[in-house]
Amino acid sequence: MPKSYRYELKMKVRDYECDLQGIVNNANYQHYTEHTRHEFLLSQGISFADLHNRGIDAVVARITMQFKVPLHSGDEFISCLNVTKDGVKYVFHQDIYRLPQRTLCLRATVDSVCVVNGQLVRGVEELDKILSVDIS
């Protein structure tokens, strides 16, 4: 595992997330990364529902996933993230490791943008502040 992550969330694979080959279906990795982002933002006092009610929508613009080693039913894993800013995008760098060996299973990059009252914006000050992202 890299030196440090901004946030880490431990989870466990559920039976219904696996496909006929007995491995986690690729679509579920997107659920894992999304759940990790939401929990991270909640840990920072940011609620998607509250943002939406104020006309601010953080939406995914692009996801890139590199599948390394599959997860299986019952596996415990840790989903980790860091976040940077690139122009109008908040870029979440996310990795998933199977426990206890910390075997890399997934490496993902998620580009998210903010839309305020229907208009794409460069950033949202409160998000930039909480996420410690420099928008200059």
Side-chain angles (χ1 to χ4, degrees):
M1 270 179 60
K3 301 174 265 335
S4 65
Y5 288 95
R6 177 84 186 268
Y7 184 76
E8 299 180 359
L9 180 65
K10 187 175 178 182
M11 291 187 266
K12 186 174 182 177
V13 175
R14 296 161 290 203
D15 291 340
Y16 68 84
E17 296 169 330
C18 297
D19 57 24
L20 289 174
Q21 292 94 3
I23 60 176
V24 170
N25 181 275
N26 61 47
N28 286 306
Y29 289 93
Q30 188 169 339
H31 292 281
Y32 298 155
T33 59
E34 181 175 14
H35 183 63
T36 303
R37 290 190 307 280
H38 283 224
E39 289 296 315
F40 165 66
L41 292 173
L42 282 172
S43 78
Q44 301 298 305
I46 299 172
S47 160
F48 274 100
D50 178 55
L51 288 174
H52 176 74
N53 289 337
R54 294 186 291 127
I56 302 168
D57 292 303
V59 297
V60 171
R62 178 183 310 165
I63 296 177
T64 303
M65 296 180 147
Q66 299 173 19
F67 300 93
K68 303 294 187 179
V69 174
L71 288 167
H72 299 86
S73 181
D75 282 349
E76 290 187 337
F77 61 95
I78 189 163
S79 182
C80 309
L81 72 72
N82 283 315
V83 61
T84 58
K85 188 82 182 283
D86 181 15
V88 299
K89 301 179 292 190
Y90 296 97
V91 182
F92 291 89
H93 306 275
Q94 297 187 245
D95 296 327
I96 291 178
Y97 297 91
R98 183 176 49 227
L99 297 174
Q101 304 87 358
R102 296 188 179 267
T103 303
L104 179 63
C105 296
L106 177 84
R107 180 150 285 151
T109 303
V110 181
D111 295 343
S112 180
V113 296
C114 285
V115 177
V116 176
N117 298 318
Q119 298 293 317
L120 179 66
V121 296
R122 183 166 179 76
V124 174
E125 186 176 339
E126 70 184 282
L127 289 177
D128 292 338
K129 183 178 177 183
I130 291 171
L131 298 177
S132 300
V133 174
D134 180 16
I135 63 169
S136 54

